[in-house]
Amino acid sequence: MASETNEVVKEFPFFKVYNDGRVELFDPPVEKIPPSDDPNTGVRSKDVAISSDPPVSARIFLPRVSDPERKLPLLFYLHGGGFCMQSAFSLGHHIFVSTVAAEAGAIAVSVEYGLFPGRPIPSCYEDSWAALRWVAGHAYGDGPDAWLNEHADFRRVFIGGNSSGANISHTLAARVGKIGLPAGVRVVGVILVHPYFGTGNDRMWLYMCPTNGGLSDPRLKPAEEDLARLGCEKVLVFVAEKDRLREVGIGYCAELKKSGWRGSVELVEHVGEEHCFYLFDPKYEKAVELKDKFVSFVRHN
């Protein structure tokens, strides 16, 4: 009987499924680090609860404030991890977002959204939208978080993420374009680092999302109407030459230009690099290049 219940009936790049419905992820849970104050950069960070049911939280990063009257651009960040791994509280994502906050002089909100299998897709999309709405609720200075009330410039909001987080970032921008955000909130730009929009792992995404709309689901393959009304003014897309998602990122830029969307899109490629290479060694020359371009986009728009 034990052998029967341990029979693997499906296997995907990130997990396998047993015949009793159990899901086993191949990678162990990522180690999470606590928020902290960085004495070198002056960036302070803290964790906030956005919702208890469903559980949604975020880490907020506040750079050194030299002029309390000067409002700071706001980066809303979504981590990658194939919709089933990683965390806003992992070392790699913490370091990256903290560094961007310091160098761009931006307040950043990095979202901890629900992951498969505990919370199947579309939880990641709905949690992230709820978090964005929560952040936007501070636009008039009367939200629950003092840092956002006092320091965020809601006329300079940026949405960004890597891999699956870039996919979620696109869906948020599409929803902003369709539904909008409260008055006073303006999404200037969207930053997609090595975005996932299908290719290779399509069946895995479909399995993780029981309510999927098939291979033409607009969350998997961006719809022309969503691209045409994308709720931002500028888009920056990064691809890596040796990343299996490279063509998807390039294709996204091409489709965005063809859609009739009136904003501007820029594509940046790093030759010889793999998927999300910049997270593994922040001091690596090309990782610094990517980070600097990311920072410049936030700082100068």
Side-chain angles (χ1 to χ4, degrees):
M1 181 67 70
S3 61
E4 292 178 3
T5 58
N6 284 329
E7 179 185 354
V8 175
V9 293
K10 292 181 183 294
E11 189 161 330
F12 300 102
F14 297 152
F15 59 87
K16 56 186 173 183
V17 184
Y18 293 96
N19 61 343
D20 62 358
R22 287 179 298 122
V23 173
E24 181 180 331
L25 298 176
F26 295 135
D27 287 350
V30 68
E31 181 180 354
K32 300 179 181 181
I33 65 170
S36 60
D37 294 350
D38 189 329
N40 296 317
T41 65
V43 173
R44 301 163 62 194
S45 60
K46 65 179 179 181
D47 294 343
V48 296
I50 292 172
S51 168
S52 58
D53 184 20
V56 184
S57 59
R59 181 159 294 175
I60 305 180
F61 298 82
L62 180 68
R64 183 180 283 118
V65 176
S66 56
D67 180 2
E69 299 301 316
R70 177 176 169 268
K71 297 292 188 178
L72 308 175
L74 190 154
L75 170 64
F76 187 85
Y77 193 82
L78 293 311
H79 71 82
F83 306 98
C84 61
M85 301 177 291
Q86 277 294 327
S87 167
F89 310 146
S90 68
L91 180 62
H93 288 106
H94 176 98
I95 289 176
F96 180 74
V97 178
S98 180
T99 302
V100 170
E103 298 187 12
I107 186 168
V109 178
S110 187
V111 182
E112 186 78 340
Y113 53 83
L115 299 175
F116 176 90
R119 299 192 56 228
I121 299 172
S123 294
C124 57
Y125 299 111
E126 298 309 316
D127 290 357
S128 299
W129 177 246
L132 182 59
R133 295 277 302 177
W134 180 86
V135 169
H138 294 76
Y140 294 106
D142 57 357
D145 185 77
W147 285 3
L148 291 171
N149 287 333
E150 296 169 13
H151 300 291
D153 182 353
F154 287 92
R155 303 301 297 169
R156 292 181 66 199
V157 175
F158 297 83
I159 300 173
N162 63 292
S163 193
S164 55
N167 172 290
I168 298 170
S169 296
H170 159 78
T171 67
L172 292 178
R175 197 178 290 197
V176 170
K178 181 179 181 179
I179 301 174
L181 288 171
V185 181
R186 169 175 164 251
V187 179
V188 176
V190 170
I191 309 166
L192 309 181
V193 185
H194 308 163
Y196 168 78
F197 293 112
T199 190
N201 294 338
D202 301 1
R203 295 296 173 187
M204 183 175 70
W205 186 93
L206 294 173
Y207 185 84
M208 289 191 286
C209 182
T211 58
N212 70 76
L215 292 173
S216 60
D217 190 302
R219 296 164 296 186
L220 184 64
K221 179 178 173 53
E224 183 178 355
E225 58 268 28
D226 286 342
L227 293 169
R229 64 186 173 209
L230 207 62
C232 62
E233 301 165 20
K234 298 184 177 184
V235 172
L236 173 63
V237 179
F238 291 96
V239 298
E241 182 190 19
K242 294 184 178 180
D243 184 1
R244 58 184 173 75
L245 301 180
R246 173 182 179 270
E247 296 303 322
V248 172
I250 294 173
Y252 179 90
C253 293
E255 291 301 315
L256 185 57
K257 290 177 180 178
K258 286 167 49 181
S259 71
W261 177 66
R262 296 186 178 183
S264 62
V265 58
E266 180 180 1
L267 176 68
V268 176
E269 179 171 10
H270 288 95
V271 176
E273 300 304 329
E274 304 277 357
H275 186 66
C276 291
F277 70 92
Y278 67 100
L279 290 174
F280 306 112
D281 181 3
K283 296 182 179 179
Y284 171 51
E285 178 184 3
K286 290 186 179 179
V288 173
E289 286 179 7
L290 187 153
K291 179 263 300 175
D292 286 348
K293 182 67 176 179
F294 194 114
V295 165
S296 178
F297 187 81
V298 174
R299 191 177 184 88
H300 299 297
N301 283 306

